[in-house]
Amino acid sequence: MSDRKPSPISPIPRAIPREPIRPAFLGGLFYKDSVCAWIFIAPALIGFTVFYLVPCIRAVHISLTDWNLLRLPKFVGFQNYIRLWADQRFWNAMRVTVLYVLYNIPIQTVIGLLLASLLDRIGRSVLLRSIILTPYLIANVIAAILWFWMLDPLLGFINALLHSVGFQSIPFFSDQRLALPTIAAVNIWRHMGFVALLFYTGMQGIPRSLYEAARIEGAGPWQSFWNITLPLLRPTLVFVLVTSIIGSFQIFDSIAVTTLGGPVDSTRSIVWYIYESSFENYKMGYASAMSCVLFLCLTVVTIAQMRILRSGQSELG
Amino acid sequence: MKSNSARLPLARWCGYAILALFAIISLGPILIAVKTAVSDSKTLFSSASSFLPQDPTLFNLQRVLGWANPADPRMERMSYGKIDFFRALINSVIFTLLAVVPQIAFSAMAAYAFARLQFLGRRLIFFLFLSATMIPGIVLFIPNFVLIKDLGWLNTYQGMAAPYALMTPFAVFFLRQMFLSTPRELEECARIDGASYISIFFRIVLPFHRSALATLTIIASLSAWNEFFWPFLVGRSESVRVMAVAINAFRQQQAGGTPDWSGLMACTVLGMLPIFVLLLLFGRKVVESFQSAGPK
């Protein structure tokens, strides 16, 4: 996944809590207050405008032009979007990306839940938590290179193990069918501990008395997981799913260091294809059009998820 | 009534076994990387399935840092990739400092304004800041690249750090949540004593939230240290490129033949070093920081 940029940490926009305004606190000097506020907010607002707001609008604008960075951009209307609709490679990139998300998210979520429940029930040591968090603290590039080495067909550790128990070595990254699942596995490795920690934190907030009551009623650990933990964990679950799916859709770093989109387009994800179109073939307009479509898709996916999972509502109220 | 654990010793032991397995899966590849980094490249085949190096040597680490003796006979075999990883590590430090220090300062100021000050458009601006976390990086990278190029900032530190230096939506959001929890009484007392907002911010709010600021510093520094895509777009020249970009370049140099694994792993180990140091010194704080990165 992450290649998930602001990844882990990107909070989902939620309703902003309205805090009461205390007239006494305002004093009579509304004007002075507001000057002070603008001074405080100015640097961040400039940064936001220059590097987020304007680029966002500019991306839409570039997507309506034909531009190779050298000539002046030529306005072409929706032509890039029309071309994109007929572009086989675009659809392939979308297919690869969705497939990647489907490999990545369910396994990562299940492993995260499993680890979190175990940490919650039997192993609350900081040492253990820092061990499983370690892969997440490593750069994507390093994680990818690490596994590229582990899985090297000639000298890699995993293939040496496979050999010693009598198997053939497997060309994980250079096999057309295996490359994408392999990249997904590397990213599951990197993210599982972090996801587990987020779930674990969520589980810490569930009142112990509920488990106690369930146990007295005769529920086993499995039943209490399904009937207590999972429903009460929903806000965390929504947060993790939404952010990790957004991140997963943007898989790039691990592809850039290992397969470069190959073999035979099998790992040409959408962000990798946009990168190739813009920074290698200088089709800025076309690439921007694809990035805007990606943005739109992610927005739809996110809204759909929030609806389906009814975020924010915990059974605890 | 017996407790669950007493009733199910088997399940409990299975649980420990699974946790141990995942601890091994988490750390195993890192150990293999360390092993490879301190192995002579000639022994890689014979020691492929072992966790320990044959004839450990620091040669690879010295070589990628540019500290090896050029007359060393082992340098002869290193015809493939060349890398000045020391430069890359220095660049990573500079990039991280330039991206993180002002980011936290300016984000904290903005967060305080959002949490405590009244001004026109506060809710709208905050909503826009929050929405920015949803924008895929690539959408912004194309126009931002054009901007940096037009400024003549390609392959400069300021070009690499600029988009992170003034704010990140996460930093503002995170600190605002924290600042909202400042006890009102503290601030109001200072206000009655005639303190300005600026002095309340510096004398009360910032010291009160030391721990949250440390948490944010850890998260933001690690993400800057590990950053790849943006520095890869605007900072590829050897003089400014950061650790992740340099490792990628080193690997792509050898795309044809057998990669220089011991050299690559020496680079990855050096690239991970700050993380190990951080974990050893402040393990608990790091873990708690990332736990607090979740929903609130």
Side-chain angles (χ1 to χ4, degrees):
Chain A
M1 148 157 45
S2 269
D3 295 84
R4 31 166 84 163
K5 233 33 320 209
S7 80
I9 36 188
S10 67
I12 312 158
R14 264 164 286 201
I16 303 157
R18 193 191 295 266
E19 64 273 4
I21 299 162
R22 299 254 200 110
F25 198 64
L26 269 175
L29 303 160
F30 187 81
Y31 178 67
K32 197 179 161 202
D33 240 44
S34 144
V35 166
C36 188
W38 287 109
I39 294 170
F40 269 92
I41 207 172
L45 193 59
I46 293 168
F48 176 75
T49 311
V50 175
F51 293 107
Y52 290 87
L53 190 61
V54 172
C56 206
I57 298 162
R58 210 170 165 198
V60 177
H61 180 240
I62 296 174
S63 80
L64 301 174
T65 65
D66 177 13
W67 189 27
N68 65 2
L69 280 182
L70 300 172
R71 285 180 286 102
L72 282 176
K74 191 175 104 207
F75 186 79
V76 294
F78 286 96
Q79 234 171 60
N80 286 322
Y81 292 90
I82 296 163
R83 261 177 62 205
L84 181 155
W85 188 258
D87 181 359
Q88 284 304 311
R89 302 175 88 184
F90 168 75
W91 289 109
N92 176 64
M94 277 301 200
R95 192 185 59 84
V96 166
T97 308
V98 170
L99 211 56
Y100 171 80
V101 174
L102 292 178
Y103 288 140
N104 189 322
I105 300 299
I107 299 178
Q108 177 178 298
T109 310
V110 169
I111 292 178
L113 282 171
L114 172 73
L115 281 176
S117 320
L118 289 173
L119 287 172
D120 188 40
R121 283 167 196 229
I122 58 175
R124 299 190 180 187
S125 87
V126 182
L127 179 68
L128 198 53
R129 272 181 282 154
S130 50
I131 289 174
I132 63 162
L133 182 66
T134 306
Y136 183 73
L137 305 180
I138 294 172
N140 284 316
V141 169
I142 290 183
I145 281 278
L146 221 59
W147 280 98
F148 204 51
W149 163 230
M150 291 283 288
L151 298 171
D152 183 72
L154 271 179
L155 303 169
F157 180 77
I158 299 289
N159 275 313
L161 278 191
L162 286 174
H163 253 288
S164 64
V165 290
F167 284 100
Q168 293 277 311
S169 54
I170 301 171
F172 290 96
F173 280 101
S174 46
D175 182 289
Q176 208 179 320
R177 277 164 308 147
L178 286 178
L180 193 65
T182 304
I183 290 174
V186 171
N187 284 304
I188 292 170
W189 174 77
R190 182 167 175 267
H191 287 90
M192 61 189 186
F194 177 57
V195 168
L197 275 195
L198 292 181
F199 286 145
Y200 170 80
T201 313
M203 287 175 186
Q204 299 281 288
I206 299 174
R208 300 284 131 182
S209 55
L210 288 175
Y211 292 116
E212 204 56 29
R215 207 159 52 75
I216 291 163
E217 299 286 325
W222 189 243
Q223 276 169 308
S224 63
F225 176 79
W226 276 108
N227 298 320
I228 299 172
T229 313
L230 217 46
L232 291 181
L233 203 60
R234 202 171 57 205
T236 312
L237 204 59
V238 174
F239 173 84
V240 169
L241 280 175
V242 169
T243 51
S244 55
I245 288 176
I246 292 177
S248 223
F249 261 97
Q250 299 178 56
I251 170 82
F252 174 83
D253 298 7
S254 355
I255 293 172
V257 269
T258 58
T259 60
L260 301 162
V264 212
D265 289 355
S266 61
T267 59
R268 188 190 299 271
S269 73
I270 185 67
V271 174
W272 179 257
Y273 186 43
I274 296 173
Y275 162 77
E276 279 183 327
S277 308
S278 49
F279 294 100
E280 288 183 358
N281 302 321
Y282 302 104
K283 294 189 278 189
M284 303 318 258
Y286 191 57
S288 289
M290 286 195 284
S291 73
C292 291
V293 170
L294 174 67
F295 188 12
L296 201 70
C297 291
L298 282 181
T299 310
V300 170
V301 168
T302 305
I303 292 172
Q305 277 186 88
M306 308 262 245
R307 283 279 160 79
I308 294 167
L309 296 159
R310 285 172 296 145
S311 67
Q313 305 166 21
S314 160
E315 312 294 327
L316 274 180
Chain B
M1 182 170 176
K2 279 186 180 178
S3 79
N4 258 344
S5 48
R7 252 191 341 200
L8 297 164
L10 185 67
R12 202 179 174 85
W13 283 109
C14 280
Y16 284 128
I18 294 172
L19 283 178
L21 179 72
F22 274 97
I24 293 168
I25 293 174
S26 296
L27 291 188
I30 296 166
L31 285 179
I32 298 283
V34 174
K35 175 205 89 173
T36 313
V38 297
S39 296
D40 188 297
S41 58
K42 273 197 291 192
T43 66
L44 291 185
F45 185 74
S46 51
S47 68
S49 61
S50 123
F51 270 104
L52 292 172
Q54 282 175 0
D55 318 322
T57 165
L58 289 179
F59 173 67
N60 298 306
L61 295 161
Q62 292 169 337
R63 172 163 67 93
V64 295
L65 288 171
W67 295 348
N69 180 0
D72 193 310
R74 285 174 295 184
M75 289 299 273
E76 290 287 308
R77 289 191 267 120
M78 305 304 160
S79 49
Y80 16 65
K82 280 216 164 44
I83 188 167
D84 181 359
F85 204 63
F86 187 66
R87 180 75 249 172
L89 290 172
I90 298 287
N91 290 337
S92 273
V93 172
I94 296 172
F95 169 70
T96 303
L97 287 175
L98 282 179
V100 172
V101 174
Q103 176 196 127
I104 291 183
F106 295 138
S107 299
M109 286 163 58
Y112 177 64
F114 283 127
R116 284 290 186 260
L117 303 178
Q118 296 300 320
F119 56 98
L120 197 67
R122 179 173 80 156
R123 287 169 58 84
L124 174 74
I125 298 172
F126 187 69
F127 176 75
L128 287 176
F129 274 33
L130 260 191
S131 317
T133 59
M134 303 284 300
I135 308 171
I138 188 76
V139 174
L140 302 172
F141 288 164
I142 295 174
N144 279 342
F145 174 85
V146 175
L147 172 70
I148 295 297
K149 182 175 156 291
D150 289 346
L151 288 171
W153 284 4
L154 287 183
N155 295 315
T156 63
Y157 294 119
Q158 69 267 31
M160 286 152 64
Y164 307 96
L166 292 172
M167 61 90 71
T168 58
F170 172 73
V172 175
F173 176 79
F174 179 87
L175 288 176
R176 174 187 173 272
Q177 292 298 96
M178 294 297 160
F179 292 171
L180 281 175
S181 71
T182 323
R184 285 267 184 189
E185 302 72 47
L186 267 177
E187 291 170 77
E188 274 170 44
C189 284
R191 198 82 191 114
I192 291 162
D193 290 347
S196 67
Y197 285 124
I198 294 174
S199 80
I200 292 175
F201 176 67
F202 282 106
R203 300 240 185 95
I204 295 170
V205 177
L206 288 186
F208 187 82
H209 294 286
R210 278 188 308 269
S211 164
L213 288 165
T215 294
L216 182 65
T217 308
I218 289 173
I219 295 178
S221 306
L222 275 175
S223 85
W225 181 262
N226 291 336
E227 197 62 63
F228 173 70
F229 203 163
W230 175 251
F232 173 67
L233 294 179
V234 297
R236 281 193 211 197
S237 86
E238 210 163 322
S239 55
V240 295
R241 71 184 181 195
V242 294
M243 170 277 289
V245 178
I247 289 179
N248 180 52
F250 189 40
R251 135 101 183 104
Q252 302 306 341
Q253 276 174 14
Q254 320 150 8
T258 310
D260 171 12
W261 287 119
S262 50
L264 271 172
M265 288 305 122
C267 292
T268 58
V269 168
L270 290 167
M272 291 186 284
L273 210 54
I275 293 155
F276 300 146
V277 172
L278 201 65
L279 277 175
L280 285 177
L281 292 179
F282 314 107
R284 178 181 292 271
K285 179 69 186 166
V286 173
V287 171
E288 283 166 359
S289 297
F290 280 88
Q291 278 183 228
S292 73
K296 280 166 206 86

